[in-house]
Amino acid sequence: MIEIMRYEGSMAARWDELVSSSRNGTFLHQRGYMDYHSDRFTDCSLVALREGKPCALLPACIDSDVLYSHRGLTYGGWLVPLKHFDATVMIEVMDAAVEWMGAHGIKRLVYKPVPHIYHRYPCEEDLYALFRHHAALVETNISTTIDLTCPLPLDRGNKSGANAARKAGIQVGPSDDWEGYWQLLSSLLDARYSTRPVHTLEEMRLLESRFPDNICLYTATLDGELLAGVVMYLSSPVAHCQYIGASPLGKDSKALTLLFDYLIGLHTELGYRYFDFGISNEDHGKYLNEGLVRQKSRLGGRGIVYNVFEINI
């Protein structure tokens, strides 16, 4: 028998413990990350109980009569344990959750499963449960990912560019210059898209202080001038690029190419399975930035998808 209850703040420690021991949870699902923007979203995360004990978690928020896989996160379907949880249990959990939603006036579930590259052990029982509930695939975004166990090499142009940047004396490595990089990143996004980074500088500093082993800034510099940077989100087995930027001089000097060459090698040595450049879509997957996809592909990446499903309750 599965029971569903809404998450309460008093459950934070137990929630984080289950995330850490789950097959598919990442640090993004820890309450210290989810709750930093609690003023923007109404949390309605669900906890599935079996014999009175939590056995699965759904990071979620609510808006009117729609329950969303948390809108402050890139992904986050049901997070489930390694043992004593198979497809039969997942069906029970989804059945109970849909019943709970109907009883609480929810008319639609928007569900973002954790992409398979983030699974520490195979974990797609929720996709089968979605099928059983006639879920519709409503959005697909494509990301570009390197399998670090058998990485494809940089193409000839990028290899030559990285070597040229190295010979020019460009230095790459970890950095604490969050303020300098956020100024560069913000100016680039404003000039190109008239937008700003999703996270403010203050939010990034807060999150980096809470998760220093998971959020890291790497930069490329020449004679002290900041040319390029990448914010890495590290969730074993994935090293994910969250923010990527380069100044005009950084692009011309191939500083970003050298930085990626360094990061790919570094995270291979550190034992990560995948290096994920992130999605290249806009407009909920309908627009593909073809140039961006080609750039990432030439660095050795190939496509994986981030899907979104909907269930009418």
Side-chain angles (χ1 to χ4, degrees), residues 166-210:
R166 193 177 291 111
K167 291 178 181 177
I170 294 175
Q171 301 295 309
V172 296
S175 173
D176 192 41
D177 187 14
W178 286 95
E179 183 174 357
Y181 183 59
W182 233 245
Q183 289 178 354
L184 172 61
L185 182 67
S186 298
S187 65
L188 293 171
L189 291 175
D190 182 57
R192 183 173 297 180
Y193 304 110
S194 298
T195 60
R196 295 178 297 175
V198 174
H199 298 90
T200 66
L201 173 61
E202 292 72 22
E203 287 172 337
M204 285 308 305
R205 284 195 172 277
L206 172 65
L207 292 170
E208 190 264 345
S209 70
R210 291 181 178 179

Side-chain angles (χ1 to χ4, degrees), residues 118-183:
Y118 290 91
H119 298 173
R120 289 185 289 276
Y121 205 77
C123 192
E124 294 188 344
E125 290 88 349
D126 60 338
L127 300 185
Y128 179 67
L130 288 171
F131 164 75
R132 290 280 292 259
H133 280 273
H134 310 289
L137 175 63
V138 296
E139 182 177 333
T140 292
N141 294 283
I142 190 159
S143 187
T144 307
T145 305
I146 298 173
D147 185 341
L148 295 178
T149 65
C150 51
L152 297 173
L154 275 64
D155 71 359
R156 183 177 301 176
N158 278 306
K159 187 177 296 184
S160 175
N163 288 333
R166 193 177 291 111
K167 291 178 181 177
I170 294 175
Q171 301 295 309
V172 296
S175 173
D176 192 41
D177 187 14
W178 286 95
E179 183 174 357
Y181 183 59
W182 233 245
Q183 289 178 354

Side-chain angles (χ1 to χ4, degrees), residues 41-60:
F41 304 99
T42 302
D43 190 278
C44 190
S45 297
L46 301 183
V47 179
L49 305 172
R50 181 167 53 183
E51 297 180 356
K53 297 180 180 180
C55 69
L57 310 170
L58 180 64

